[in-house]
Amino acid sequence: MKLPVINEEWARRIQQSEVEFFTSRISSIGEREGNPNGVEIRRFGKSTAFYVREMPWSLFNSVKGFSHEDLGRLEEIVQFYRERQRAFQMDINPVGCSPELFKELARHGLQQEGFHSVLYGLPKAELPTLPAEISIREVKDEEDFQHYAEVHCVGSGMAPVHKHHFFNNNIGLLGRPGWRIYLASWQEQPAAVAVMHISDDIASCTLAATAPQFRRKGLHTALLLRRMHDAYKADCRLVAAQASFAGTSQNNMERAGMRIAWTRAVWGTVTT
């Protein structure tokens, strides 16, 4: 199969695959007994707003799928977060944008804060050949998930003492339909993790993290190639991912054959 050029149809499909995996991801946190993190997910037309009371970071308090079509719902979206006294982020993709949309975002107290890359590529038929020091296995049980949580924790810049947060807030993905979790080891030491979600025929690489002492050893690329191969075995047509613009992750994705689909504008609440 030849990599398709990005048109509006593919752009909408890639965008929707992200909305679906993020909805499933946040829902899994909210499904913990008693919803201790205070998760709320609200639909406004075709836009989805996410709020996590105990996680104030913009990633967990964001709006996805917003376009000109839902411009009339913008006041409701802003009010949703205002009532919860929470700053939030809006992911604005090129599809469905208009000059009026940007004017209304600004009029409602939002401003652009940055950019983010959205990439896509073809699944890979060949199983990647790994260096002798690297091994990868899919996480299937809680014992391996303990290793996943620790690597995710330190790979995200947190001290190991916070590992339990990463375990509790991600364990809902273990065995959840559509999700696959991977653990990579360097010389038999847990060193890097990655996650993939499959929706219809698009596989989304949703997360990757490497413990600091194991970086620059090819683990991120090895996990990416493994996921691209598993996407092929799952009969996916595309692999999609997001990355910081021009960062190491984007560079590795491009080296693996992925292309930039578009650069997303990230808008946030104006602070004074």
Side-chain angles (χ1 to χ4, degrees), residues 13-49:
R13 292 190 62 193
I14 292 171
Q15 178 176 274
Q16 183 59 30
S17 70
E18 181 181 1
V19 172
E20 289 176 7
F21 84 66
F22 202 75
T23 300
S24 179
R25 166 81 178 85
I26 300 302
S27 294
S28 74
I29 299 174
E31 289 164 8
R32 290 178 59 197
E33 186 175 358
N35 190 13
N37 286 298
V39 170
E40 294 182 56
I41 301 175
R42 185 77 59 85
R43 290 292 301 274
F44 296 91
K46 293 185 178 180
S47 305
T48 308

Side-chain angles (χ1 to χ4, degrees), residues 72-88:
R73 310 296 297 273
L74 182 56
E75 179 62 37
E76 295 176 69
I77 293 172
V78 172
Q79 185 62 25
F80 173 77
Y81 289 101
R82 185 181 295 136
E83 290 171 354
R84 290 153 182 78
Q85 300 181 322
R86 177 59 53 84
F88 67 99

Side-chain angles (χ1 to χ4, degrees), residues 15 30 33-34 64 70 82 92 107 129 135 144 148-151 156 195 202-203 219-220 226 229 232 256 269:
Q15 178 176 274
E33 186 175 358
K64 295 185 180 294
D70 289 331
R82 185 181 295 136
I92 305 299
R107 192 174 71 82
T129 301
S135 61
D144 263 356
Y148 166 88
E150 183 167 356
V151 174
S156 300
V195 184
I202 296 180
L219 288 155
H220 180 272
R226 167 63 183 272
H229 176 65
Y232 173 83
T269 310

Side-chain angles (χ1 to χ4, degrees), residues 16-245:
Q16 183 59 30
S17 70
E18 181 181 1
V19 172
E20 289 176 7
F21 84 66
F22 202 75
T23 300
S24 179
R25 166 81 178 85
I26 300 302
S27 294
S28 74
I29 299 174
E31 289 164 8
R32 290 178 59 197
E33 186 175 358
N35 190 13
N37 286 298
V39 170
E40 294 182 56
I41 301 175
R42 185 77 59 85
R43 290 292 301 274
F44 296 91
K46 293 185 178 180
S47 305
T48 308
F50 303 91
Y51 166 79
V52 185
R53 186 188 61 238
E54 300 303 314
M55 299 180 182
W57 307 283
S58 59
L59 173 65
F60 299 101
N61 299 272
S62 60
V63 180
K64 295 185 180 294
F66 185 76
S67 69
H68 185 87
E69 187 175 347
D70 289 331
L71 203 54
R73 310 296 297 273
L74 182 56
E75 179 62 37
E76 295 176 69
I77 293 172
V78 172
Q79 185 62 25
F80 173 77
Y81 289 101
R82 185 181 295 136
E83 290 171 354
R84 290 153 182 78
Q85 300 181 322
R86 177 59 53 84
F88 67 99
Q89 170 183 306
M90 295 193 73
D91 295 339
I92 305 299
N93 297 310
V95 62
C97 283
S98 66
E100 184 183 0
L101 180 145
F102 295 114
K103 291 177 182 177
E104 286 299 302
L105 290 175
R107 192 174 71 82
H108 282 80
L110 293 139
Q111 64 182 6
Q112 186 172 347
E113 297 180 333
F115 297 95
H116 207 69
S117 297
V118 177
L119 297 98
Y120 76 119
L122 292 176
K124 290 187 175 293
E126 65 276 11
L127 181 67
T129 301
L130 300 177
E133 298 89 348
I134 297 177
S135 61
I136 297 175
R137 63 181 180 269
E138 192 171 342
V139 175
K140 296 287 191 177
D141 54 45
E142 289 198 17
E143 182 179 353
D144 263 356
F145 200 83
Q146 292 284 354
H147 295 305
Y148 166 88
E150 183 167 356
V151 174
H152 187 177
C153 176
V154 298
S156 300
M158 304 290 284
V161 68
H162 298 295
K163 167 187 167 181
H164 65 285
H165 294 299
F166 290 82
F167 183 94
N168 292 335
N169 292 328
N170 290 278
I171 189 65
L173 301 183
L174 186 62
R176 192 177 184 89
W179 290 93
R180 300 188 185 189
I181 303 170
Y182 301 86
L183 176 67
S185 296
W186 176 266
Q187 297 178 345
E188 300 185 356
Q189 298 182 69
V193 296
V195 184
M196 180 171 69
H197 179 265
I198 296 175
S199 175
D200 294 327
D201 57 0
I202 296 180
S204 295
C205 296
T206 68
L207 176 141
T210 304
Q213 68 269 33
F214 296 110
R215 289 173 183 165
R216 303 183 68 84
K217 296 181 182 295
L219 288 155
H220 180 272
T221 295
L223 284 164
L224 177 62
L225 294 174
R226 167 63 183 272
R227 287 177 288 174
M228 295 175 82
H229 176 65
D230 284 357
Y232 173 83
K233 292 195 296 182
D235 294 324
C236 294
R237 294 188 65 187
L238 284 185
V239 178
Q242 300 80 38
S244 297
F245 177 74

